[in-house]
């Protein structure tokens, strides 16, 4: 997608761009939750090293896997047009249709907490691996269902798989559906070339969500959901924090000036102010 965007923006032939495949720790380690083995850096550290060592000129990321605080030597130079933000349920026509006590496979604390908030009877179990692996576990009956990002399924040509869960029912992860491209902060040529493929509205919304996340101090342990959308010249930001068992949840929303991270952070602070001491402790930790 990034290659195609650069070709279209600059009129380059395909051979002008080389794709370097980097296998990350997150790809290799599939039997444990991310929070147990290093968090989101498992998806970025190898790409960061290749970028800073000059092996690559830019790195392409799923933005929901990128840490909130990035090295000063690396810049988020562009984001592509955001894809579908919803999750899709695989294995049942709806959350309500899941059988009593059904077991849902997921590696996401957010999804697990949201499911339990909607259906306290549901159980969850760790499920990692690529899409094919996860779908196979449902097909084999090892688990009753799973949730996957609609954007990933669409990009893999699996748009007909699963049932979309509206964002009004389950707010997505911060930056879900967004692809970001980073380069070295001092590489002005790369920054200029990448600026030509930046989808400004996506960038503004994702940065608002990431500012909220920064204020919450969330980690891979923390069930956090957020979604920003442009409304005229402003941004409507909705957010939710939950206890791990879904028993406590706090929602809030605000209209923010575009490009104002302080306003987005204020919404995060307001969520924590309304949370119980136990829920605040989850984010502080």
């Amino acid at each position: 997608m990034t290659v195609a965007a650069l070709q279209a923006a600059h009129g380059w032939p395909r051979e002008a761009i080389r794709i370097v495949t980097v296998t990350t720790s997150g790809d290799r380690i599939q039997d444990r939750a991310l929070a147990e083995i290093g968090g989101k850096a498992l998806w970025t550290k190898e790409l960061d090293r290749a970028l800073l060592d000059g092996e690559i000129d830019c790195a392409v990321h799923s933005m929901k896997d990128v840490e909130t605080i990035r090295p000063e030597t690396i810049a988020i130079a562009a984001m592509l047009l955001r894809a579908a933000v919803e999750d899709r349920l695989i294995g049942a026509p709806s959350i309500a249709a899941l059988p009593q006590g059904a077991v849902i496979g997921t590696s996401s604390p957010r999804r697990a907490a949201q499911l339990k908030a909607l259906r306290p009877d549901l159980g969850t179990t760790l499920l990692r691996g690529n899409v094919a692996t996860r779908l196979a576990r449902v097909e084999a009956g090892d688990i009753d269902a799973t949730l996957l990002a609609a954007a990933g399924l669409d990009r893999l040509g699996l748009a007909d798989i699963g049932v979309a869960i509206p964002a009004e029912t389950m707010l997505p992860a911060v930056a879900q559906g967004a692809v970001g491209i980073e380069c070295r902060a001092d590489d002005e040529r790369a920054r200029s070339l990448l600026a030509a493929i930046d989808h400004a509205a996506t960038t503004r919304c994702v940065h608002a969500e990431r500012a909220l996340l920064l204020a919450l101090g969330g980690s891979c342990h923390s069930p956090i959901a957020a979604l920003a959308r442009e409304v005229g010249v402003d941004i409507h930001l909705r957010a939710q924090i939950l206890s791990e068992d879904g028993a406590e949840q706090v929602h809030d929303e605000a209209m923010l000036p575009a490009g104002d991270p302080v306003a987005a952070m204020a919404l995060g602070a307001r969520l924590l102010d309304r949370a119980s001491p136990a829920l605040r402790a989850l984010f502080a930790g």
Side-chain angles (χ1 to χ4, degrees):
M1 291 166 58
T2 301
V3 167
L6 286 167
Q7 285 185 267
H10 300 295
W12 292 344
R14 176 61 186 85
E15 58 269 20
I17 308 169
R18 182 166 61 96
I19 294 177
V20 178
T21 302
V22 177
T23 301
T24 68
S25 301
D27 296 314
R28 290 192 297 269
I29 304 170
Q30 297 289 342
D31 60 344
R32 283 167 285 169
L34 291 180
E36 297 177 10
I37 51 175
K40 291 183 177 182
L42 292 171
W43 301 109
T44 58
K45 63 181 181 180
E46 286 89 355
L47 285 159
D48 290 352
R49 181 198 56 75
L51 190 58
L52 295 174
D53 287 351
E55 296 174 14
I56 58 176
D57 297 302
C58 61
V60 179
H61 296 284
S62 168
M63 283 305 300
K64 76 174 183 177
D65 295 329
V66 176
E67 311 99 294
T68 314
I69 299 174
R70 300 293 287 134
E72 291 183 0
T73 50
I74 294 175
I76 301 171
M79 294 188 205
L80 303 182
L81 172 65
R82 195 173 197 172
V85 299
E86 296 84 6
D87 288 319
R88 284 211 200 115
L89 178 66
I90 317 295
S94 67
I95 293 173
L98 287 163
Q100 186 77 13
V103 176
I104 316 302
T106 182
S107 60
S108 164
R110 170 191 64 86
R111 288 172 176 149
Q114 287 175 323
L115 283 168
K116 290 170 184 175
L118 292 166
R119 289 275 309 271
D121 62 291
L122 297 178
T124 59
T125 188
L126 179 67
L127 178 64
R128 293 196 60 213
N130 62 28
V131 169
T133 298
R134 300 185 195 201
L135 294 178
R137 291 283 303 279
V138 177
E139 184 67 25
D142 298 335
I143 52 178
D144 294 297
T146 189
L147 286 159
L148 295 172
L153 291 168
D154 291 347
R155 288 169 182 148
L156 290 169
L158 300 173
D160 58 339
I161 297 292
V163 177
I165 305 299
E168 289 70 27
T169 301
M170 286 183 67
L171 269 181
V174 167
Q176 185 155 314
V179 170
I181 305 102
E182 294 187 323
C183 67
R184 291 178 292 279
D186 62 357
D187 189 341
E188 294 300 332
R189 179 175 181 271
R191 293 184 77 151
S192 175
L193 292 169
L194 290 169
I197 66 170
D198 179 54
H199 187 261
T202 295
T203 294
R204 287 189 289 267
C205 288
V206 170
H207 278 307
E209 294 169 20
R210 286 171 59 82
L212 170 99
L213 186 60
L214 180 63
L216 289 170
S219 70
C220 288
H221 290 285
S222 311
I224 299 170
L227 181 61
R229 295 192 188 277
E230 285 202 323
V231 180
V233 297
D234 295 321
I235 287 177
H236 179 228
L237 178 60
R238 289 185 289 152
Q240 176 190 34
I241 58 175
L242 305 97
S243 59
E244 291 175 326
D245 63 1
E248 181 181 357
Q249 52 181 313
V250 182
H251 300 258
D252 209 337
E253 59 187 284
M255 292 294 294
L256 316 172
D260 185 353
V262 174
M265 293 177 72
L267 178 61
R270 200 158 72 228
L271 286 167
L272 290 177
D273 285 344
R274 293 172 49 204
S276 69
L279 184 53
R280 283 199 299 272
L282 177 64
F283 290 87

